[in-house]
Amino acid sequence: MPGFRRTMGFTLFYLGVLVLLPIGGMLFRVFEMTWSDFWRLATTPRALAAYRLSFGASFLAAMINAVFGTLLAWVLVRYQFPGKKWVDALVDVPFALPTAVAGLTLANLFSPNGWLGHFLVPLGIKGAYTQLGVVLALVFVSLPFAVRTLQPVLEHMEREVEEAAATLGAGRLRTFATVIIPSLLPAILTGFALSFARALGEYGSVIFISSNMQYKTEIAPLLIVSLLEQFEYSAAMTIAVVLLVVSIVLLAAINLLERWASHFQR
Amino acid sequence: MSIELKNVGKQFGGVAVVQNVNFSIRDGELVALLGPSGGGKTTVLRMIAGLEMPSSGDIFIQQRRVNDVSVRERNIGFVFQSYALFKTMTVFGNIAFGLKIKKWKKSDIEARVSELVELLELKGLEKRFPHQLSGGQRQRVAIARALASKPGVLLLDEPFGAVDAKIRQELREWLVRLHHDLNVTTLFVTHDQEEAMEVADRIVVIAKGTLEQIGTPREVYEQPANEFVARFIGVMNVLEAEVTTGVARVGEMEFPTTGVPDGSARIGFRPYAVQVSTDLSQYRYRAVLKHTFFLGIMLRIELELSSGLVIRARMTKEEYSQLGLDDGKEVSLQIRQYRVLASQNGPLSPEVGYAYQMPPTIAEGI
Amino acid sequence: MAGLIARPPRGATHKSQRGSEETPLIKWSLITVALGFVGVFLVLPLVNVFYQALQNGIGFYINSIKEPDTFSAIQLTLLMTFIVVPMNVVFGITAAWAVAKFDFRGKAFLITLIDLPFAISPVVAGLMFVVWFGRQGFLGDWLDAHDLKIIFAVPGMVLVTMFVTSPFVARELIPLMQANGTEQEQAALTLGANGWQTFWHVTLPSSKWGLLYGIILCNARAMGEFGAVSIVSGAIAGQTETLPLRVDKLFHSATAAAGVAAFAVASLLVLLALLTLAIKSYLEWRTEHAEAVAQIESPKLNNSHEH
């Protein structure tokens, strides 16, 4: 096959300039700091509060998506119902919709006079400008990851395995708990990790629906932006590096998960 | 346990996959459901298991009508073609699954699993996962899992389909032995007539969703109920002949066919019914040996008559070398035994033949 | 006996999966919950955008879009997309060719590297470019001296958008080209085609739908990217404002009219998203359809058993 040198050369050049140099540059700047400076900037109370919210809300969002994403994938793969194709297409809305628009409309929906807030706020459920709002926005943007990771796995799952459980006397619930869920678990975990990673880095949708208050509703990416606006470059880069390392670790974990899962799919 | 099907039919979206099937299986029998792929045999098996609901007719297991009994309560063991092992469970977990559901005591489960592991030669593999097993081992785990809770009926869908030829042979012998030891009513689906002949006590031939014949291997081979069975079981030479005044003629060959009306007819005969001699004056027809196919201890040869007719014959290696045969050699031949095949699916006329000794044993003669 | 047989059979109307099916009650409850979730979380937000945008009437809606700053945001968004998407298509194709058609050490690592921009927060991505091209960046003084502006200007916005959207095309193409294998290409080569001809006549036709799929996803993200762009743009109205940034600015203006205008601009982006989904669904339908046709036309393998 021809073209290895040329295509590989261009690929490495492109990735090098566009991805590796920027990452390297930022790491270089952070390495110029002393460890104690880095640690101090990375663990200011404001930063800690931001991590807590970012990780906590992302974790919650990923959990919610693991449940509803699994349900959606199951319904889309296993059942026939009118409008199924439309629902399947709609799952990708969060991929296709600019996050700023998602934040805008969600903030409006959950505000006291929005369509949903109108009913929810009197019940004490405040979806806009709160930590709950952050979770809602993150659920929205990361939903497709959970569904789309699970769908192909479910489609390729042998129906015979479930029938085998039935011939051995297992009821539907039992089969679900002991046969179906364990074999879906790697895919559910992968979907969870992907959702989590996406939620952690999300910025656009959250700043619309959150009140963006320090210590309360300020997520880590927003903290970076605020620090940047105050010309606190070192502090901004420190937080950025923390997030970067977490994303790389997550990416590696997802790859490992997928490799582990492929063992059982043979 | 005995199984009985009465007028059983199954439709999928208006298409009849199985029609009006009747047969019964006695307690402890080993029976093959034989037929071409897509002929409805798997659907019959799945209906017996309760994995499909019959569209019409009734199914009885041990004289009890089970149409409305769910698969979970039919007390059957089912071995799927793909094995359908639980990938996230070990060999032990797979075999013990049904026992745990039936709430066996832990010590009983362990005893039963180790008994089966012994019986199915899976010792030492208890902690492995399915993806760490060979094809033959997976199959045995599937069988052990199906047998674990001592079902009254063992159902196997194409049990030897997914393993390679050598292991397939071992597994066949091994299924016969297993059945002999356990004496559980066993029904298996296969499209391989050789496999059915070798393993089963009786064969149920199903094609295009209808029952063609049920009988012992010898019966379906020697007294096929119709042309389909005759041609499906074993190799058969079929010649399109023209009948005039009680004699069917094709090329230089003539077959007495008393009672057959004039017109076209098909003559069928098994390869072993062709007698071959190197003494060119011994038999009536002359032919040239075109090809020799080696099939283990048996050989198949293709003989071309001077009119261009090609006939397949079969013999052992010893006969072949005793006769000094070789490709290109000229021989004389005769047909010991043949029958007129009906043009439709009607019953077959009995075989007509010259006096001759018994044909070779069933398995050899295919 | 006759009574038994004459009894209308149950479950005869559809292919029953009696070992692997839920009861209708459970099935329809699950469907209802799933549809409810989709309705509240995915449909309602979209409908809401149009409802809010048209609150002050169609005339106000059209005026909001025709407003000069918004109009220039539309132009800038399109301009950036015209630069970014072709660049990433070229990258995607070359990267997919290198990864899918050859075996080499470190392949898994390279694929991870291609995926990396997806995992990085857009804000962090934007910051990384500030580190190079910002006032205090590595190249800040040099750029200043030559009177070049990258940060708070269009070039920087193009760069970060390229970074954020670089994996789309490659990710769609790599699995597709891996699945297609190299046999067809090798056949073309033995017939005397050169590398470029092989690519043009063999590889591209067999992966064109995947390529198109990657392009529309890349396009949607390029037009909608917010976080990374907001860091390097400076959001100067009429100059460095893309549509999402315009939405942000209008939303954060205090007046109620600006709030409605924000939804009007947002509605353009929703239309873009819906168009993207329509094309995507069409492509998926096409691929599935082609596969189904291929399956009908090719003879079933397991029917070829002969003895």
Side-chain angles (χ1 to χ4, degrees), chain A residues 14 79 92 105 172 201 233, chain C residues 22 45 52 88 121 132 136 280:
Chain A
Y14 198 90
Y79 302 147
D92 281 328
T105 181
R172 208 54 200 140
Y233 287 112
Chain C
E22 289 79 37
Q52 300 293 340
N88 280 334
S121 171
W132 278 89
Q136 299 172 346
K280 184 172 175 292

Side-chain angles (χ1 to χ4, degrees), chain A residues 15 33 36 39 88 90 99 104 113 122 125 139 144 159 179 200 209 211 222 264:
Chain A
L15 286 175
M33 285 186 234
S36 64
W39 187 251
D88 193 36
L90 277 170
T99 54
L104 178 76
N113 42 18
I125 303 169
V139 168
R159 287 301 272 268
V179 175
L200 203 57
I209 202 172
S211 55
L222 177 62
F264 289 97

